[in-house]
Amino acid sequence: MPVKIGNIDLGEFPLLLAPMEDVSDPPFRFVCKQNGADLMYTEFISSEGLIRDAAKSRQKLDIFEYERPIGIQIFGSNIESMREATEIASQAGPDLIDINYGCPVKNVACKGAGASLLKDIDKMVKMTKAVVEATHLPVTVKTRLGWDDNSKNVYEVAERLQDVGIKALTIHGRTRSQMYKGQADWSLIREVKRNPRVAIPIFGNGDVDSVEKAANWRLEYETDGIMIGRAAIGYPWIFREIKHFFNTGELLPGPTITERVEVCLTHLAKSIAWKGEKTGIFEMRRHYSNYFKGTPNFKEYRMKLVSLEDVASIFEVLEEIKGNYNEAEILQ
């Protein structure tokens, strides 16, 4: 059975790319899409920023045809601002709108947005209803198990948000107080999925960083799909590898050094095309060590890559990397 969000057909057991601040921009989304991500989201966007027309928030609305289906994710603490931001985001032409009720970081959660709404379910429901009513697009939500171990209320959240019209729910298997520490607990995600009252797709998120885990958890926790975040940074091949295993039962070999360089070059080119040479080169610097993780004696190359300021020199160094490493030298 294909998984559907509204009229969007995601195929059987889709793999989603998580919205990640300062990571999930169009250049990064491009390489993840090339490797098989079925649904992607923008970085989360402040509703207040959109209403004030802040340049940074506006730029995050940029989406491209090749990314579809794509959702724009918004967050905020004021219901009216979220309603207005939904109207603005809908005009940017995404396939769906996603609400962030999961972000645990202080400058979001401590301002009454993101995961802090888990402490006020009534407000969360009102806010969600306002967003659903402000757009013709399907609305989805990303949240956590609860605020802390004493208030794991996602079971109730799922029912009540479905009742006001959301079309899918992604649950990160940690509480807000856990941040990103400890292990994600998917057992409560499975309970939500098994709830006979819940008919919308339920996606699991948290700690999926290997083909084996994706395959085992698909069976064990019965979700409709998996959202992958940190494991895709510098390793967009994870989508391809999981899909290949689901389709064939075989493990694909990891990317060769040539593939790593090629994808890194693509990412860099997209970054420059989207943000201009100076910013594009600067923002790409955070990705090099991830792309070449496990490559022996890479530090010298990384130091070069993060200090160079012109495209030709960076291309030269990347080509040199391709020539200087035996394909077998990458440590998985």
Side-chain angles (χ1 to χ4, degrees):
M1 281 281 290
V3 173
K4 285 192 159 188
I5 297 178
N7 293 323
I8 306 164
D9 186 338
L10 297 175
E12 198 182 329
F13 204 80
L15 303 178
L16 288 63
L17 173 66
M20 292 176 283
E21 178 69 352
D22 292 331
V23 176
S24 308
D25 59 7
F28 178 72
R29 297 198 300 261
F30 181 84
V31 296
C32 289
K33 186 72 179 181
Q34 277 192 315
N35 280 283
D38 295 301
L39 174 62
M40 306 188 293
Y41 294 89
T42 60
E43 299 169 75
F44 62 58
I45 306 174
S46 155
S47 54
E48 302 296 339
L50 278 185
I51 293 164
R52 289 198 314 271
D53 213 12
K56 193 176 179 199
S57 296
R58 283 279 172 172
Q59 191 178 31
K60 288 179 182 176
L61 290 175
D62 285 359
I63 50 180
F64 298 89
E65 281 306 308
Y66 62 75
E67 301 185 286
R68 296 192 184 282
I70 179 135
I72 288 177
Q73 191 189 67
I74 57 174
F75 73 94
S77 59
N78 179 284
I79 293 174
E80 182 53 30
S81 300
M82 285 290 279
R83 190 190 62 72
E84 279 181 58
T86 301
E87 290 174 359
I88 296 166
S90 300
Q91 286 164 13
D95 298 287
L96 55 90
I97 301 291
D98 188 73
I99 311 172
N100 180 318
Y101 292 139
C103 180
V105 299
K106 271 190 179 159
N107 63 356
V108 174
C110 295
K111 289 181 177 170
S116 73
L117 272 303
L118 285 162
K119 293 193 290 188
D120 189 346
I121 307 293
D122 290 345
K123 182 179 178 182
M124 184 195 272
V125 171
K126 279 182 196 150
M127 184 180 281
T128 306
K129 188 170 188 283
V131 169
V132 169
E133 288 171 356
T135 183
H136 62 289
L137 297 167
V139 173
T140 61
V141 161
K142 179 163 190 256
T143 191
R144 289 182 167 236
L145 301 177
W147 180 258
D148 57 27
D149 280 347
N150 302 317
S151 58
K152 290 182 179 175
N153 48 13
V154 72
Y155 196 86
E156 178 195 347
V157 165
E159 288 188 355
R160 292 185 64 184
L161 297 190
Q162 176 182 269
D163 290 348
V164 293
I166 70 164
K167 300 298 184 202
L169 178 67
T170 299
I171 304 167
H172 180 99
R174 288 182 174 86
T175 60
R176 187 272 167 180
S177 59
Q178 273 182 282
M179 303 293 284
Y180 294 101
K181 298 185 185 78
Q183 281 187 311
D185 172 13
W186 283 46
S187 53
L188 196 49
I189 305 176
R190 180 175 53 207
E191 279 181 42
V192 173
K193 179 61 201 164
R194 284 179 175 175
N195 180 354
R197 267 209 64 210
V198 172
I200 57 173
I202 301 294
F203 302 118
N205 172 233
D207 292 355
V208 176
D209 55 10
S210 69
V211 173
E212 293 82 356
K213 213 177 263 188
N216 291 338
W217 289 13
R218 175 184 185 173
L219 295 173
E220 190 177 345
Y221 297 111
E222 303 164 21
T223 58
D224 294 289
I226 287 174
M227 180 180 276
I228 294 171
R230 289 173 291 172
I233 300 174
Y235 205 86
W237 301 278
I238 191 163
F239 298 103
R240 176 182 81 179
E241 290 175 7
I242 292 171
K243 283 191 157 173
H244 184 80
F245 185 79
F246 285 167
N247 292 333
T248 67
E250 295 167 0
L251 288 173
L252 268 183
T256 62
I257 198 83
T258 303
E259 277 186 283
R260 287 170 186 262
V261 169
E262 292 303 328
V263 172
C264 194
L265 284 167
T266 301
H267 193 161
L268 174 62
K270 287 283 175 192
S271 190
I272 290 166
W274 183 53
K275 288 202 168 171
E277 191 165 321
K278 194 177 175 190
T279 310
I281 287 172
F282 179 74
E283 297 210 342
M284 189 64 195
R285 288 176 179 173
R286 65 170 76 102
H287 292 286
Y288 294 123
S289 57
N290 292 312
Y291 272 118
F292 296 99
K293 203 173 182 179
T295 310
N297 309 314
F298 190 73
K299 192 177 176 189
E300 201 178 309
Y301 280 124
R302 191 183 69 80
M303 298 307 285
K304 269 189 198 172
L305 288 168
V306 299
S307 60
L308 292 170
E309 290 180 11
D310 68 292
V311 186
S313 305
I314 296 171
F315 274 41
E316 223 170 87
V317 172
L318 286 168
E319 286 300 328
E320 196 183 310
I321 291 168
K322 203 170 14 174
N324 276 3
Y325 281 94
N326 177 322
E327 297 299 5
E329 280 188 279
I330 289 281
L331 311 172
Q332 286 305 319

